Amino acid sequence: MNKKQKKMLIRILISTVLLITLNLIHLRGIINLGTYLITYIIIGYDILKKAGKGILNRRVFDENFLMAVATIGAFALALYERSGDYNEAIAVMLFYQIGELFQSYAVRKSRKNISELMDIRPDYANIEKDGKLEKVAPDEVPIGSIIIVQPGEKVPLDGIVIEGSSTLNTSALTGESLPRDVSEGNEIVSGCININGLLKIKTTKDFGESTVSKILELVENSGARKSKSEKFISKFAKFYTPFVCYSALALAVLPPLIRILFMGLSPNLDVWVYRALTFLVISCPCALVISVPLSFFAGIGGASKEGILIKGSNYLETLSQAKFIVFDKTGTLTKGTFEVSDIHHSELKKEKLIEYAALAECASSHPISKSLRTAYGKEIDRKRVHNIEEISGHGVKAIVDGSFVAAGNGKLMKMLNIPYQECRSSGTIVHMAINGEYAGHIVISDVIKPDSKLAITELKKAGITKTIMLTGDSNKTACQVASTLSIDEVYSELLPVDKVTKVEELLSSKPVQAKLAFVGDGINDAPVLTRADIGIAMGAMGSDAAIEAADIVLMDDNPLQIAKAIKISKKCLRIVYQNIVFALVIKFGCLFLGAIGIANMWLAIFADVGVMVIAVLNAIRALRVKNL
């Protein structure tokens, strides 16, 4: 509890004790009225103050005005009747303040997830001067500076590790508890926590452009983007509150006039004024005005804890309506890195064939060559390789350990008149020949992420009706990936501009109510991310373009996070609609009962505070997203 909440709790406790005491000792006359008024002022002075300010600022109709009129009216009615029973007036204000305290606690609880994310903000950066470490503000460190991050400290700026190795805790950014290892030459992003080793980092961005700044800016601005549901509630409250105030006035005045003028009966003014005051208490729209934004806020807070950054409640609402998901293949469903996936038709041991290929390709900078060297996994001894000849568009020839080795595509085998085996697998095929004899071929492909198939299954369960994959790869490769993952439609051999065109075609052909989400890795995806109904960037830790262009940013590159984001949005919207229906049904039901005299002030308290507490309790369920 913060200081303000503690102060309110003390006021509630004092007022409760005084109210119970006054009901036990039964004071009379002016002393009784005075002690009740003191109790009323203790519990309600801030509401009266706000109501007064609202009147002065010409913003009369709000919940403070309703509470002030209802409770002052209840006091006046008790004085008029000379009953000496001022309990209802104080009870209304007391329970209202209990509800407000509960609501502020719920907001603080949901805000805690956001503030935990805010803990990624670094307080300082270490710069070495004259052999000593000097702490400076991160925004004072220019690009190209050398900073030192000690064990237990936050990485303050994006950069490249130039010395040292360590393990990083990235959970605040990605929601993943698994640590990540970094060493010399690796890129590192701000906001991570250095667990064990000392790191020297050369900065590549200033603080304003660093990953941590972009994320903090995104989260801080998320509340400004309102959903349609929030806008509806704001408009509803704007017209609803004046309407119920005038209705209460009419309920207090018109029936007594009708009784006098047309029925010849006594006006029963006290009865109708009491009903009007009850009507006012019931009508307070707190449950709606508080619980709907709180539900979205809790949903965004819960998502951020899981490494899913949603830029506003409007995007959360749109995501819940998504029926079509379009994927960019590389880096989203696949790892985006070439790896040796298989070896066919080789009599040599797999390790030996890869060794020959890696040594023959040791001088090439081609990605395929790099993947062969990675698969070999050992340091290349250049002394073992001679007479390297790279043939553009074909492959490479070299002498390895005295043997003539050829590694390349089918054109190279034809050029050397070596019969070879065609491969039915998708990917890049590296045919191998040793001393003029065919030695088999190595299949190199962009490997599918381990969780991609499960992610597609989970998306179907989450209500996605069609999954679509776009890629620049060959049709054979694309179809094989789509078939493996059970993707509904696939479009291959597309240039970046073709992807935008294809998404526009899909947007024009889908039903109006169904939303289309595009998922990319943030690299060259900005135009498509902005064109889709909802743009989702995956693995965006360190990618400025993705954070800027996307509506939802997944800090990890696990495709399962997409299904989780949709489930969070659907849960949040279910809670919002539950609260709207529940609050309106109870409110209008009790308003009717109050108008005909069945509901008294105690039922009015339930219709106001009780409904608000139940709605707020329901709203904070949106925080619980761990097991979705």
Side-chain angles (χ1 to χ4, degrees), residues 74-322:
F75 254 108
L77 197 61
L79 281 169
Y80 172 76
E81 291 176 341
R82 296 182 182 178
S83 65
D85 184 4
Y86 308 104
N87 286 315
E88 286 182 339
I90 293 172
V92 168
M93 192 65 82
L94 178 63
F95 282 106
Y96 177 75
Q97 293 285 41
I98 290 169
E100 286 289 294
L101 177 65
F102 185 79
Q103 173 256 326
S104 71
Y105 173 76
V107 170
R108 187 168 176 267
K109 185 175 173 64
S110 62
R111 196 177 286 274
K112 188 181 174 186
N113 279 19
I114 300 289
S115 57
E116 280 177 1
L117 184 65
M118 293 304 183
D119 283 344
I120 64 176
R121 188 190 298 275
D123 301 315
Y124 59 87
N126 294 319
I127 291 182
E128 195 169 5
K129 283 188 179 179
D130 303 323
K132 293 181 180 179
L133 289 184
E134 185 178 315
K135 291 181 180 180
V136 298
D139 53 7
E140 293 176 6
V141 179
I143 296 171
S145 300
I146 306 299
I147 59 171
I148 293 170
V149 182
Q150 300 179 102
E153 292 183 333
K154 292 178 192 129
V155 178
L157 296 147
D158 294 6
I160 296 171
V161 178
I162 59 169
E163 190 180 312
S165 61
S166 182
T167 303
L168 300 177
N169 178 354
T170 63
S171 59
L173 296 176
T174 65
E176 286 291 319
S177 57
L178 194 67
R180 296 188 179 185
D181 294 326
V182 290
S183 55
E184 193 173 322
N186 292 152
E187 287 189 3
I188 192 167
V189 296
S190 49
C192 304
I193 297 172
N194 182 17
I195 296 176
N196 44 34
L198 187 77
L199 294 174
K200 273 193 179 181
I201 299 166
K202 186 177 182 180
T203 62
T204 54
K205 294 174 187 172
D206 59 32
F207 183 69
E209 294 298 315
S210 64
T211 301
V212 69
S213 286
K214 296 279 185 185
I215 292 169
L216 292 172
E217 184 183 350
L218 182 157
V219 175
E220 285 164 356
N221 293 334
S222 64
R225 299 179 177 94
K226 302 292 183 188
S227 66
K228 287 180 182 177
S229 303
E230 284 177 290
K231 288 175 182 174
F232 163 74
I233 293 302
S234 297
K235 284 182 181 177
F236 175 79
K238 198 173 180 181
F239 294 103
Y240 167 82
T241 310
F243 170 76
V244 294
C245 285
Y246 289 124
S247 297
L249 182 63
L251 188 63
V253 174
L254 292 179
L257 285 175
I258 291 168
R259 286 173 66 88
I260 294 169
L261 298 174
F262 299 103
M263 300 172 72
L265 300 171
S266 62
N268 283 354
L269 190 65
D270 55 338
V271 171
W272 291 102
V273 168
Y274 181 82
R275 289 185 187 182
L277 294 174
T278 304
F279 192 89
L280 278 179
V281 174
I282 294 168
S283 67
C284 185
C286 294
L288 286 173
V289 173
I290 291 165
S291 69
V292 171
L294 179 60
S295 300
F296 282 111
F297 192 80
I300 291 170
S304 70
K305 186 76 173 172
E306 296 298 304
I308 301 166
L309 305 183
I310 300 169
K311 287 188 176 180
S313 55
N314 55 334
Y315 302 123
L316 193 67
E317 189 170 52
T318 304
L319 184 63
S320 71
Q321 299 161 0

Side-chain angles (χ1 to χ4, degrees), residues 491-511:
Y491 300 94
S492 58
E493 298 175 16
L494 300 174
L495 297 171
V497 68
D498 298 329
K499 292 179 185 178
V500 178
T501 307
K502 183 54 67 177
V503 165
E504 286 175 344
E505 285 176 17
L506 292 166
L507 284 167
S508 61
S509 62
K510 70 174 179 60

Side-chain angles (χ1 to χ4, degrees), residues 443-464:
V443 182
I444 296 173
S445 56
D446 186 4
V447 180
I448 294 170
K449 290 179 180 178
D451 292 320
S452 289
K453 187 168 180 61
L454 180 59
I456 300 298
T457 305
E458 288 298 313
L459 284 169
K460 299 279 186 179
K461 288 180 184 176
I464 298 301

